[in-house]
Every structure is written in C-alpha cells, then in structure tokens.
Amino acid sequence: MLAGLLLLLAAALPSGRALAAGADAENVCFATGPASLAASEIVAREAAWRCDSQTLSLASDRVFIRWTRDLSVQRHMVARLGHFDRLTLTSFGNFGEIASRTFLARDARPTTSGPQFIVDLPPMKGDITAIVATFDGLSHRATAIDAALVKNDPSLAADQMTRQPLIAGLIGMMLVMLLLNLALFRALRESFLVWHSLMVASFASLVAFRTGLINLYIPLDLPSWRALVIIVFGFALASGAMFTRSFVEPECLPRASRKYLGPLALWSAIISIAWAGPFQALRSSGGDWHTIGLLPLLVMTAYTIVQSIRRGSRAARFLAIGCAPLIATFSYQALTQLHPEMVSQDAVMPLILSLAFEALIIVVGVIDRFIALREERDQAVHAARVLEELTERDPLTGLLNRRAIDTRFEDFLAQGYELVAVLDLDHFKAVNDVSGHSVGDQVLRVCGSVLGSDKDAVAVRMGGEEFLLLLRGEDAEKRAEKLRQSLSLRVAREVEGLEQIVTASMGVLRLPQAAGKIDFSTAYSRADLLLYEAKTAGRNRGVTASLSYFEKEHPGGDQLSSQTAAA
C-alpha cells in the first residue's frame, strides 16, 4: 500500500522549481542596500539592479526584488519559507502613483502547497510599471531568489487538491509503522525499535511540515513554522543516525561509528535549534553554516553503512538501499546551498519520496532484524534451558537434584505438593562392596525409574542412595508407601548380579495448607528426622508425621504425630 502511495504521489507532485515555475528570469532583478534606502529611491536606478540571482548577497540590511512585466493580473507574491524581519511590497504606476503594504513575518500566510508563504499585493488602479519587494533582515537567499508574483493562491490549484490526500495517506501509513514497532517492542525490547519509532515520527512530521500540510490542521505563523521545519529536520537526521548505530549488528559496527555517531547526532540537533532560534548573528550566513554543520553526520552515517556492509552486516544492506535516495537528496540540497553558481533547492518532491521510500525499506529491514534476533534469543533461551536441565538433573538417574529442589520448593508447594518423603536405601554400601559399583549404579537407576513413575510426584536424588519425593493428592501418603515397597521388587527383577534384597526406609512429613509457608531446609530436616526414626526402628519401613502448625517465627509451635508402616 505504501509503495502504491509513493507512485501516486510521484505522479501528483509537480516537477521542477515548485515556487517559481514558469517565471521569466529576465523579469526579476535584485538589488541590495542599507536600511535607509527606500524602494522609491532605487526602483528606477537601473545600475543598481542585477538580474542574475547568483550575484545576490545578504550582507546588506535590505534586499530588493523588482518585477516589471505582466503585473496587472497578479494578486499575490509567494516566496520560499525563510526568516525576515519585515517585508514591504510597493507598486509603482505610470503616473507616479505608489501603493505599498508592509508585513511582519508573523503577518505572512503559510501555504499548504509547500515550504512557502503568500502575501497580497497592494491594490492599484491603472497600469503598473513595477512592483518591488523589500526584505529587511532576510536570512535565506532562496526566499528572494524564488519569490514570484501569482494570480491565484497556489494552495488552491487542482494539483494541490490531488496531492494533499496522498500526502496525508502517506503520513498515516508511516504512523502505522509506530504501532508495528510497539508490537515488536513488546516481544523484543531492543533499543533500535525505539530509535526507529523516533525516526519514523520525525519523518512523518517532516513531511507534514515541509509540504505545508500541517497548515491545514494547525494554524502556524511563519516564524513558528520555519523554526519547526528546521528543528524537525535536524531531529530526523539525528534519530536516523542513532537508529543506524543501534540497528547494525554490534559485531559489524565500526568503532568510530560507535564513538562518534551519538555526539554528531546531538550536535545536529543543537545546531538545528540554534538556526531556528532568534540569533541575529547566525543569519548573515544565509544558512550555509547550518548546512555545513550537518554534513559530518551525513558523512559518518554513510561511512557506518559502507563499513558495516564490508564487515558482513545484513541490517546495513537494508540501510544502504533505504538511505541512498535520502542521502542523495540531502547532498543535492547541500550542493545547491553552498555552490555559488547554483540556485538553492528545497527539493520537496525528492525529499518526500526519499523519506517514504526509506521508511518502506527500513521497516522491512526492522522486521527482518526482529526475526533474526528472535531466533537468536529463542536459541539462547533453549540453550539456557538445556544448561539448566543439565545443572538441575542427576546424570545417573535423570531425576532432579538437590539444587533444583532448593530453588523451586515454594513453587511446588504452591502447586499443591503437600507431602515430603525422604527415602534412603538400607545397607547400600554393602551392595557396592559385594556386587560392585556398576551394580550399585544399576540399583540407583531402577530406584530413580520407580520413584519417577508417579505423575503426581516430584522425585529428587539428594545424593548417594538418598532420594526425596514431593507428592500431591488425597492418597499421596499411600502412594509414597507403595513406591517405597515397589523398590525391592523392581530392583530384584531388573538388576542382574545382585546378591541381596534392597530395601528402603522412609520419613514422611505431611504439610497441610493450614500450615502456611515453610522453607525447604525446615521441611527436609523434619522429614530427615523421621527417616532416622525409621532407621532406628529397624529399617525397611516408613515413619509419617503431620506438621499441623508451623511458622518460621515460632518453630517451637510444631506438633508432630507419627505412625510407622513396615513392609
């Protein structure tokens, strides 16, 4: 959809110099002078006028523009957006009549047809021989060079009526990308998604401001509009640079880029704010210093993309494709701004198309990078889980180990495991001594298999021949005893070379819900005491106790009632 809007917009936008299209260069001449020089004094002084715009300088206090042909049908003057203190329009008639109008910058009307403003010519009856525009405190040469007289407001032209909905649709599509970033960020909290959101928001704002579309919805005076255009442009470049630094894979990002892109982005934002502000000393340069000040960031961004591609960056390839038209457009603007023999160009149409094209390509790159990072994260999570399994599993029996139960005991209690049983194989040392350690290992494996067979039990090998069970369910106590008794039969049936019957003793501790919270160390020590009682009573039996009351603050409040079950 965005690509379709780009094609429609390319067809709808006018080509060439939008502000002075069709203007006769020989009809427009320029002059400069001190603040005391009036238009009536210079209008007929032919030696003072130069019809070559390249000779125009802003060093003087006043800049004059004169038109001398086809004046009777003209009703307005339009000019490029730029700072000035005062504008006076003066019409001269055949018989010495003079009519004039003076405007402050805030009095000029912003248009919706591009970065330009419009003012009304002073009315005059009869033939007009010349019209002179007098700018005081002009800061942008292109404002004077591209000034033109028009019959109708260009914002009302038919092509503008077609263009404005397309631009609005384009901005809307760019803002949809912010929602996409929000969804991606919820799944993968990467900084490049934040910078991409700021960059897209800056691009959308830049399109709205540079095309004048913003003036359809928010009434801005000329100084505010100019300042916002400059600031948004600087922030768009800055956020784009920061996105580049965060988007490129860390292993492919050049060290110089990691070190300098951030400060250069900050510098670009600062000088844009300064150029937009009320600093008279900066205006005499006509904006050249602002353009020159932005070039280092442009060069460093291009360097980052090229070097990252050479280092194998996949993300940088998307950046190269997306940023190439935008870098070319800005470079062309900078060239026309700085070259003394070229007319400064705002290149509105190429800029809009470049911004939109970059947004389209980069969002594809962001999705691609997201997928790659998600796969990397999933692989890392899987590897971590495998490692966790390895560290929490007993390698011989496959049961959980002491570390696992230490860290997850409270979770098991919350899941309803309210019976703790500690089992120990009787006279297991004799098994190893008589039958060998390999047989002893087989016995432990079979015991692990038996204890792990209950779907509502968590079986743990605590170490050596000692095991622990956590059970839940109304018949948990009976199942624990059944598992203990099953050990002897299964071991005798499945372990070859065993010369004795293997039995187990067990201590069982009931933890009713009313008991409240209890830590593993306490529960284990209580069950271990019961195991000791079973051993003392003759082994091959279980001893069960009920923990009817327990609080960590009052360990003496335990009330134990026990019963013994022997095989």
Side-chain angles (χ1 to χ4, degrees):
M1 186 178 292
L2 183 58
L5 279 174
L6 290 178
L7 294 175
L8 289 174
L9 190 59
L13 287 172
S15 59
R17 291 171 59 184
L19 301 182
D24 183 357
E26 296 181 359
N27 181 39
V28 184
C29 297
F30 306 90
T32 60
S36 59
L37 183 63
S40 57
E41 298 176 53
I42 197 174
V43 62
R45 196 184 303 171
E46 291 298 330
W49 295 95
R50 296 289 183 272
C51 297
D52 179 7
S53 62
Q54 303 306 323
T55 61
L56 178 62
S57 170
L58 301 183
S60 300
D61 295 328
R62 280 191 166 174
V63 174
F64 300 93
I65 312 168
R66 185 185 68 176
W67 295 269
T68 55
R69 294 206 300 265
D70 302 323
L71 305 179
S72 59
V73 298
Q74 311 302 341
R75 296 291 181 268
H76 316 280
M77 186 199 82
V78 294
R80 183 87 64 86
L81 182 62
H83 173 82
F84 61 89
D85 295 327
R86 182 181 291 101
L87 167 63
T88 301
L89 294 176
T90 308
S91 298
F92 296 90
N94 274 338
F95 302 102
E97 310 99 307
I98 298 178
S100 66
R101 278 182 171 172
T102 299
F103 306 87
L104 298 178
R106 65 174 179 270
D107 300 325
R109 300 195 307 274
T111 72
T112 59
S113 57
Q116 54 184 322
F117 65 90
I118 185 170
V119 290
D120 298 330
L121 297 176
M124 174 173 281
K125 296 181 180 180
D127 294 335
I128 302 175
T129 59
I131 295 177
V132 175
T134 305
F135 281 101
D136 292 321
L138 185 64
S139 66
H140 194 31
R141 289 178 68 250
T143 301
I145 292 171
D146 280 348
L149 302 181
V150 296
K151 181 179 180 180
N152 300 309
D153 186 340
S155 299
L156 304 177
D159 63 335
Q160 296 302 321
M161 299 297 102
T162 303
R163 186 183 74 154
Q164 289 167 0
L166 293 175
I167 294 175
L170 180 62
I171 293 173
M173 291 299 298
M174 295 173 72
L175 295 179
V176 168
M177 297 177 189
L178 297 180
L179 299 179
L180 174 62
N181 281 342
L182 177 61
L184 296 179
F185 187 76
R186 292 182 63 183
L188 191 67
R189 297 184 180 275
E190 289 287 334
S191 62
F192 74 82
L193 293 171
V194 177
W195 286 114
H196 184 249
S197 297
L198 293 174
M199 183 183 76
V200 170
S202 297
F203 283 2
S205 301
L206 186 59
V207 171
F209 282 112
R210 287 294 289 265
T211 60
L213 186 68
I214 189 67
N215 296 312
L216 280 175
Y217 307 99
I218 303 176
L220 296 174
D221 58 51
L222 202 63
S224 299
W225 185 27
R226 168 189 170 271
L228 288 171
V229 168
I230 295 170
I231 291 172
V232 169
F233 182 66
F235 273 79
L237 291 181
S239 59
M242 293 304 297
F243 169 68
T244 299
R245 190 178 77 162
S246 61
F247 185 54
V248 172
E249 299 87 342
E251 65 274 13
C252 299
L253 186 67
R255 181 180 299 177
S257 303
R258 186 177 290 107
K259 182 177 181 180
Y260 295 116
L261 267 179
L264 286 175
L266 179 61
W267 165 252
S268 298
I270 290 173
I271 64 172
S272 296
I273 294 173
W275 175 233
F279 302 108
Q280 186 64 39
L282 301 177
R283 293 173 185 160
S284 60
S285 66
D288 290 354
W289 72 272
H290 180 233
T291 302
I292 294 173
L294 294 175
L295 287 177
L297 180 62
L298 183 70
V299 172
M300 180 55 69
T301 301
Y303 167 83
T304 301
I305 294 172
V306 171
Q307 290 298 317
S308 298
I309 290 175
R310 293 181 60 185
R311 296 181 180 201
S313 170
R314 179 179 175 86
R317 290 181 171 86
F318 285 99
L319 288 171
I321 297 172
C323 292
L326 187 60
I327 292 176
T329 299
F330 180 73
S331 300
Y332 173 68
Q333 285 184 258
L335 180 63
T336 61
Q337 176 76 24
L338 301 175
H339 198 287
E341 296 184 1
M342 298 183 70
V343 177
S344 176
Q345 297 289 333
D346 270 337
V348 177
M349 181 186 72
L351 178 64
I352 295 172
L353 297 177
S354 298
L355 288 172
F357 178 77
E358 180 181 30
L360 175 64
I361 297 300
I362 296 303
V363 77
V364 175
V366 165
I367 294 174
D368 179 81
R369 180 90 170 106
F370 171 83
I371 293 173
L373 285 174
R374 186 65 180 267
E375 290 177 351
E376 290 177 9
R377 192 187 72 169
D378 290 346
Q379 291 174 1
V381 169
H382 177 70
R385 287 175 178 170
V386 170
L387 181 61
E388 183 179 9
E389 283 287 316
L390 291 175
T391 58
E392 293 188 347
R393 290 284 175 181
D394 173 54
L396 180 63
T397 64
L399 301 180
L400 294 177
N401 58 23
R402 173 68 182 263
R403 177 181 181 274
I405 195 65
D406 274 339
T407 58
R408 295 158 62 180
F409 181 69
E410 289 188 3
D411 293 335
F412 288 130
L413 286 183
Q415 296 170 32
Y417 291 92
E418 297 178 354
L419 196 75
V420 179
V422 178
L423 298 92
D424 187 84
L425 302 183
D426 299 327
H427 303 297
F428 184 72
K429 184 177 184 298
V431 173
N432 285 328
D433 292 343
V434 175
S435 303
H437 286 280
S438 61
V439 173
D441 287 347
Q442 292 180 47
V443 170
L444 292 174
R445 290 192 190 96
V446 173
C447 289
S449 176
V450 172
L451 297 176
S453 63
D454 191 317
K455 64 178 182 180
D456 276 330
V458 176
V460 182
R461 183 186 178 197
M462 299 297 289
E465 66 271 24
E466 185 176 278
F467 297 86
L468 180 141
L469 285 173
L470 294 178
L471 297 99
R472 61 184 175 185
E474 295 181 359
D475 59 343
E477 192 173 326
K478 292 181 179 179
R479 295 188 346 256
E481 178 60 24
K482 183 178 179 180
L483 290 172
R484 184 190 72 80
Q485 294 180 13
S486 298
L487 294 177
S488 299
L489 180 61
R490 287 279 299 274
V491 168
R493 187 174 60 193
E494 297 182 22
V495 178
E496 296 180 0
L498 188 61
E499 299 184 6
Q500 65 188 81
I501 295 179
V502 174
T503 62
S505 300
M506 181 172 67
V508 180
L509 181 66
R510 291 192 295 266
L511 301 174
Q513 291 182 351
K517 289 187 177 180
I518 181 172
D519 60 31
F520 174 71
S521 177
T522 302
Y524 174 64
S525 64
R526 299 297 184 191
D528 194 48
L529 286 174
L530 297 174
L531 171 64
Y532 178 76
E533 288 186 22
K535 292 279 190 181
T536 304
R539 293 184 172 85
N540 190 22
R541 67 193 64 223
V543 175
T544 302
S546 176
L547 185 61
S548 59
Y549 175 80
F550 180 79
E551 290 181 0
K552 293 180 181 179
E553 293 81 2
H554 305 288
D558 297 357
Q559 297 178 5
L560 298 175
S561 61
S562 63
Q563 60 187 39
T564 302

